Structures are given as C-alpha cells and as structure tokens.
Amino acid sequence: MSSAHLDVRADAAPGLPWVVVCNTVGVPHTVFDRLAATLAGRFSVLRWSTGLTERDAPHGRPLDLTVDAHAEEAARLLRKHGVTEFVGVSWCSGTEILHRLSRGGDAAVRGFCCVNGAFDLGPDGPSSGWEGTVEPLFQVIRSRPESVEGVSALLRTAADTAAEGGDPALRFPYSTPERLIGYAGQCLEMKRSRTAMGFVRSLAPGLYLSGSADGVQPPAVTEAAARLSGSPFELVEGGGHAMMAGSQAVCDRIRAYCETVPPGPGAS
C-alpha cells in the first residue's frame, strides 16, 4: 500500500470525456487552472497536487512520492472517480506517470499530450540537465537543514522571475524552508526511481510540446523523446517550462489536440 497522498481536484460533468493531467513533483494542481478552464465545457478534468499541500503542517513529513508510489496513487484516483478511458496531459516528470498508466492501468489511454515532458536517457538513467545541476544542492538541503533559509530565498526569487504571469503555484515548493526540504527529498526520490522505459513507448498516439525558453527540459531532449515514441513534436516559441500556466495559446493547442482523439468503442 502506497504511503503517498495526492490532493485531487476533479471537475466532472456527466457525459463529457475525461482529460487526466499528470503533475510534476512538488507543485499544487492550481498550476493547471488556466488549462482546466480552457478544457471546461468539452471535457471532465482530473488533476492533482504532488507535494506538501496548503493543508499540511509546516513541518509535515515529505510524501513517499517515488515513481511507483505516484503511479499507484494515480491509478487509484482513476478508479475512485470512475475513469475508464481518458486523454492524458502531462507536465515534466508527470510524463512517466502518464506512460505507466498507458501501459498497465485499468483505464484506457486514448491519446496524450506531453508538455516539456522528457528527459536525457544517459548512463545514469533518465534525468534532466536541471536535475543534474541541483542534485548536489538538494543533497545538502536534506542533510543540513540549517542551510535552507538562504537557499530557499534564492530559489524563491528564481521562481518568481521564471513564473509566467507570476503564477503562485510555481513558487509553492520554495515558499517556506520546510517545504523546500520536502521538495528536495521528493525530487531525489523521483529521480532515483525513474526508468528509461517510461519515456520511450506508449500504447496511444501522442503529441510533444516544448517551449523554446524552457530552462529545465531543453527542446532537443523533448524532440528526441518524441522521435523515440513515434509522436509528433511542436516547438512553442518563447514558451517556458510551465508554459501552460501563462499562455492561453498553449492551452488552446492542448485542447485542440484532445479534441482530435477519438473515443474508445465503449464510450457513450
């Protein structure tokens, strides 16, 4: 039994097909508010937070959010909400969760759109350049909590600068030193438990979107992942890492893709 807990938001409407949004590590589901609003009226939308939530105690224990635990919790959420088929949208490391659901879940994945969701497939396993840069820092954060105050302020400033439209969800993991400690632990656990196969094959047709200004997942990495999976790739000029949070055009493109995916034979 997984010890993870994902704070879920389900915007369901009778008769509308499901879009399931797979989140990255440490960010509330509010980062998808613009996307959810764009999909409303045409789709039911399921999304979740991954990390210490606003309801958690300030010194709450970091969640057990390995890839296996995250995928298990996501599958449980699909069952709980009666989702038997869906179009998946993933962001960053949520891509592997989505692909795991497509290969072994109870619900059928009819298609997927990955937003800046790919990693280098190197000798140490899948990782992004950003992870390689921050991993030593996160090791220090987790082992020496007294060093966190200054690092937290630095990362919070960087997040404020990078967040398109100043989206508060992107600042959440760095908003307190305690949350930063939890976020560091989650990132390290996620990286250690990732598998290369999560980014190579899927059972459904898909679309990879990459922002030209993404400082976490370089477009070349996403393009290579799209090629490996046999899916189309589109570059969004000027798009940042969380471009779906600040760009209506990106949200419109995701909706347009979702509308092209035909329902399964059992759909009403």
Side-chain angles (χ1 to χ4, degrees), residues 9-13 16-20 42-47 81-88:
R9 170 73 183 269
D11 299 309
L16 294 184
W18 282 96
V19 169
V20 174
R42 178 65 181 86
F43 298 95
S44 293
V45 180
L46 183 69
R47 50 192 166 124
H81 290 276
V83 180
T84 58
E85 65 174 53
F86 65 93
V87 177

Side-chain angles (χ1 to χ4, degrees), residues 37-240:
T38 303
L39 295 170
R42 178 65 181 86
F43 298 95
S44 293
V45 180
L46 183 69
R47 50 192 166 124
W48 53 80
S49 297
T50 55
L52 296 171
T53 70
E54 294 288 358
R55 295 196 306 268
D56 289 322
H59 296 277
R61 184 178 63 84
L63 301 183
D64 172 15
L65 205 66
T66 62
V67 171
D68 287 339
H70 190 161
E72 179 183 331
E73 285 290 301
R76 182 186 64 79
L77 290 175
L78 297 185
R79 292 191 296 269
K80 177 181 177 181
H81 290 276
V83 180
T84 58
E85 65 174 53
F86 65 93
V87 177
V89 175
S90 66
W91 175 41
C92 190
S93 59
T95 295
E96 183 169 4
I97 305 306
L98 176 55
H99 282 194
R100 287 199 182 197
L101 292 175
S102 78
R103 296 198 309 273
D106 297 330
V109 180
R110 297 300 174 192
F112 66 90
C113 180
C114 298
V115 180
N116 291 323
F119 290 76
D120 288 307
L121 302 179
D124 297 327
S127 66
S128 67
W130 179 82
E131 284 180 323
T133 300
V134 301
E135 183 171 7
L137 174 62
F138 281 177
Q139 295 285 9
V140 172
I141 289 172
R142 199 163 62 161
S143 61
R144 297 181 58 191
E146 68 277 8
S147 69
V148 170
E149 283 286 355
V151 174
S152 179
L154 177 64
L155 288 178
R156 188 164 59 248
T157 300
D160 289 345
T161 301
E164 297 165 300
D167 191 286
L170 298 179
R171 298 193 296 271
F172 181 84
Y174 321 116
S175 59
T176 67
E178 293 80 16
R179 285 175 181 157
L180 178 57
I181 292 171
Y183 176 62
Q186 284 184 285
C187 286
L188 294 174
E189 286 301 315
M190 196 77 168
K191 183 176 185 297
R192 277 195 290 265
S193 60
R194 191 177 293 128
T195 61
M197 287 303 294
F199 298 94
V200 179
R201 294 189 180 92
S202 174
L203 299 180
L207 170 67
Y208 279 80
L209 297 179
S210 179
S212 66
D214 184 2
V216 177
Q217 311 285 33
V221 175
T222 299
E223 186 173 14
R227 187 166 56 249
L228 284 170
S229 72
S231 299
F233 167 82
E234 293 181 14
L235 183 68
V236 179
E237 289 296 338

Side-chain angles (χ1 to χ4, degrees), residues 242-253:
M243 56 189 180
M244 73 287 166
S247 171
Q248 186 59 47
V250 169
C251 293
D252 290 342
R253 179 66 186 97

